[in-house]
Amino acid sequence: MSRPASSLYEPHRRIRVLAGPVFGAACFLATLTGVVVLSVLLGSIIATVLHRPGVHPWYDVASNTRDLYEFLKALVTRVRSRDPALAGFRIGIVGSLWLLVLVAVFAIPVGIGAAVFLEEYAPPGRLRRVIQTNIANLAGVPSIVYGILGLALFVRAFGLNRLALGPTLWAGGLTLGLLILPVIVIATQEALRTVPSSLRQAALALGATHWQVIRDHVLPVALPGILTGTILGLSRAIGETAPLLMVGAAGSILRLPRGPGDRYTALPVEIYNYAKEPSAEFSTIAAGGILILVVLLLSMNAVAIFIRNRYSRSVRG
Amino acid sequence: MSALTRHIPASHSGLWAGPSRFRSLTEAGVGAFLLLCATITVLTTAGIILVLGLETLEFFEKSKVGLLHFLTGTVLNPEGGKYGILPLIWGTFQVAAGSSVIALPIGLLSAIYLSEYAPSRVRAVLKPALELLAGIPTIVYGYLALLLVTPVLKAIFEPMGIPVSTFNVASACIVVGVMIIPLVSSLSEDVLSAVPRGLREAGYALGATKFEVSTRIVLPAGLSGVMASFILAVSRAIGETMAVVLAAGMRPQITLNPFDSCETMTTYIVSVTGGEASYGSPEYLSLFAVGMALFLSTLALNLLSEIVLRRYREVYR
């Protein structure tokens, strides 16, 4: 040390200089775990799907892609079977689509309605605070508890056989609808809060009624945010398994549901049933089902996130 | 607007006829509908509490098990009429603790990276990627545990003479941990980015490095918000079902061995539904009692997280 005083002004200089980049690198690596996990996940599942007799080497991308396509096409057209060579997800996929429609019909209007009530109608006070706290807590309730609720309320109706829906699509759709209600409400509320109040005041000043202001001005401006929340909520509903196991989406259904009052099974439930089997062939089938599910959900979420990012940029700019 | 003028007859122009009866009816109807929507969310909570409460009471009545014995009994054997859920509590605790050990540090580091270190362009890519990851259904993580994590654990530990069972706690901890990383990082990142800029600038002005600003100024300032996100993540881990069912199995036992299987509260509920318990039998009703325990523990954690977060918000208002 040529300057003895420098150690006084710069205590632990070496450690300080070193610690920064090391910590930064650690933080960066931690952030990358997410990306790594996503690629390992998709990679291992695709590898499992392709790992069948007569495989092409991995670098033969064209044949592998064709193989994958053929395999997934077969899975989509076949129904559940004890024979892995004949097993598929047709019933589950149709069931999931039915659920998607029922959930959307129930949860979207109710969720948006509740959010509009909280943001535009409810006077600030106890009522609003109670509902708000309640929604925040509902968002944290484990999905299986919603399954229990659906089982007791919709499937059994507390033993009142007249009202009981049984293990039908109605019961499944309503249960999942309640499950994603908080997601839609919270997202819609956030979207409504970004609408400038000058817009409301201008419309009111021109003589529009409360509902006209909301219908013609507030909701259209908040639409991208609402859309994002709704898509995220619906994709959550599609991926849920535990509540459906509770409300009776049995795995052993071999025909397509004829209507919302019919018994059903869903894609994630079928995946669960195949994944439980110890044999490697069924594991491959489960991997194929997961690939279908993940691609569907990731594209739904990507659309939702894209809508939101694009919208928030246009507001800022 | 034109909608208004249309309803005023030409002879009265200049005199406003007042709101039409149809329109005030619409206004009232819409208000009532929106209130109904908001009420449905409150009714959901009421329904959950009612269902769980009633059926739990019935369980205690029919099974003749005392509350104390229910909570502290170490044997869970529904066929033998023994309902001690301590093994379930222990299993749940193991999975929650193990997954927290993985998720909390990684999630926090990645939150610090995203809020303090990341250039805005990197952030714009990584944040949506994390959100996509959060949208992957839990059954996929469970399948990944069976497909990848457990075989890797076997390959590492079995040559060392440590037996690893097909369903084990360690792989459940790993997949649940990985699953809740996006939750921790995105909630903590929100809190850290909200720390006022002035605090950071004051730190830099005093000659602190980026590392010191991040860990000694920003992190302590956002600590209670970070804590809130930790608590929420633990609550998510407790309520997690499908990943644990496929990774850790369904054997209720109290063991310290992380390579043995266990049963959590959520997996017990699934196993009862999947079993042959008849409707109204004590075994069937025990599902609701365990559901009540699960609901109350996650509710307590969620409320705690909210209180902690509120304290954080008060500091900076």
Side-chain angles (χ1 to χ4, degrees), chain A residues 137-242:
Chain A
N137 284 324
L138 276 181
V141 172
S143 62
I144 193 152
V145 173
Y146 283 97
I148 297 179
L149 175 71
L151 173 67
L153 199 63
F154 302 132
V155 179
R156 303 268 186 203
F158 290 106
L160 298 169
N161 285 331
R162 282 249 185 95
L163 292 173
L165 294 168
T168 57
L169 276 165
W170 282 122
L174 286 173
T175 307
L176 290 181
L178 289 182
L179 174 73
I180 65 163
L181 210 49
V183 181
I184 296 183
V185 174
I186 291 170
T188 307
Q189 276 189 291
E190 270 165 20
L192 291 175
R193 271 184 219 134
T194 62
V195 178
S197 52
S198 57
L199 202 66
R200 298 186 183 90
Q201 287 154 3
L204 284 170
L206 287 172
T209 63
H210 200 166
W211 172 237
Q212 283 173 334
V213 173
I214 291 165
R215 188 191 61 196
D216 298 338
H217 302 282
V218 177
L219 284 181
V221 174
L223 193 63
I226 297 176
L227 214 55
T228 301
T230 308
I231 299 175
L232 288 179
L234 288 179
S235 83
R236 167 130 189 245
I238 294 289
E240 277 295 345
T241 318

Side-chain angles (χ1 to χ4, degrees), chain A residues 114-131:
Chain A
V116 168
F117 178 79
L118 283 174
E119 286 300 311
E120 310 282 335
Y121 276 78
R126 178 171 286 174
L127 175 71
R128 190 172 154 181
R129 217 171 45 240
V130 166
I131 299 179

Side-chain angles (χ1 to χ4, degrees), chain B:
Chain B
M1 279 185 57
S2 64
L4 189 69
T5 48
R6 205 169 49 223
H7 288 275
I8 300 176
S11 57
H12 288 152
S13 60
L15 284 174
W16 186 40
S20 77
R21 197 170 289 172
F22 171 74
R23 197 176 299 162
S24 33
L25 212 65
T26 317
E27 285 296 309
V30 166
F33 171 74
L34 296 179
L35 178 63
L36 179 74
C37 291
T39 318
I40 287 180
T41 64
V42 179
L43 286 181
T44 310
T45 311
I48 290 174
I49 294 171
L50 198 72
V51 163
L52 291 178
L54 286 180
E55 306 274 359
T56 303
L57 282 180
E58 203 179 334
F59 163 74
F60 282 119
E61 223 166 73
K62 278 198 181 167
S63 68
K64 311 259 186 313
V65 176
L67 180 63
L68 191 70
H69 183 258
F70 178 69
L71 288 176
T72 58
T74 54
V75 184
L76 180 66
N77 179 13
E79 285 85 31
K82 294 212 185 300
Y83 294 99
I85 64 163
L86 205 57
L88 301 183
I89 296 174
W90 174 246
T92 309
F93 172 76
Q94 268 183 312
V95 171
S99 56
S100 304
V101 165
I102 293 168
L104 303 191
I106 294 181
L108 180 58
L109 285 181
S110 90
I112 292 176
Y113 178 78
L114 286 174
S115 110
E116 304 300 313
Y117 282 83
S120 60
R121 211 175 275 173
V122 177
R123 215 180 105 109
V125 175
L126 282 179
K127 259 221 119 172
L130 277 179
E131 277 176 277
L132 275 186
L133 205 60
I136 290 180
T138 63
I139 179 111
V140 177
Y141 286 101
Y143 180 73
L144 201 67
L146 278 181
L147 179 78
L148 204 64
V149 178
T150 303
V152 167
L153 287 178
K154 277 191 177 174
I156 294 174
F157 289 101
E158 286 200 326
M160 292 157 68
I162 306 170
V164 178
S165 69
T166 314
F167 296 107
N168 61 75
V169 179
S171 86
C173 291
I174 292 171
V175 289
V176 175
V178 166
M179 211 184 77
I180 59 179
I181 289 174
L183 179 75
V184 178
S185 79
S186 93
L187 288 177
S188 301
E189 199 260 341
D190 288 345
V191 168
L192 293 182
S193 333
V195 169
R197 215 183 148 77
L199 285 182
R200 291 190 188 90
E201 280 160 3
Y204 288 129
L206 289 172
T209 62
K210 191 155 212 168
F211 167 61
E212 285 157 348
V213 169
S214 310
T215 53
R216 300 200 197 154
I217 297 175
V218 177
L219 191 57
L223 193 62
S224 53
V226 170
M227 282 299 156
S229 82
F230 282 4
I231 298 169
L232 221 54
V234 172
S235 153
R236 255 300 276 291
I238 288 178
E240 176 41 43
T241 311
M242 295 322 291
V244 185
V245 167
L246 283 176
M250 296 177 172
R251 184 134 52 93
Q253 56 180 355
I254 299 179
T255 167
L256 275 173
N257 181 3
F259 300 116
D260 212 338
S261 75
C262 77
E263 186 164 44
T264 65
M265 294 194 262
T266 50
T267 50
Y268 176 76
I269 296 172
V270 170
S271 76
V272 172
T273 333
E276 273 96 50
S278 61
Y279 180 64
S281 68
E283 181 179 0
Y284 182 83
L285 290 169
S286 71
L287 167 171
F288 294 95
V290 173
M292 187 71 161
L294 174 69
F295 174 68
L296 288 181
S297 38
T298 54
L299 182 69
L301 286 175
N302 293 345
L303 289 177
L304 185 66
S305 145
E306 209 164 290
I307 291 167
V308 172
L309 193 63
R310 194 169 298 156
R311 182 165 299 165
Y312 160 76
R313 284 203 184 118
E314 271 162 14
V315 173
Y316 289 108
R317 204 157 266 174

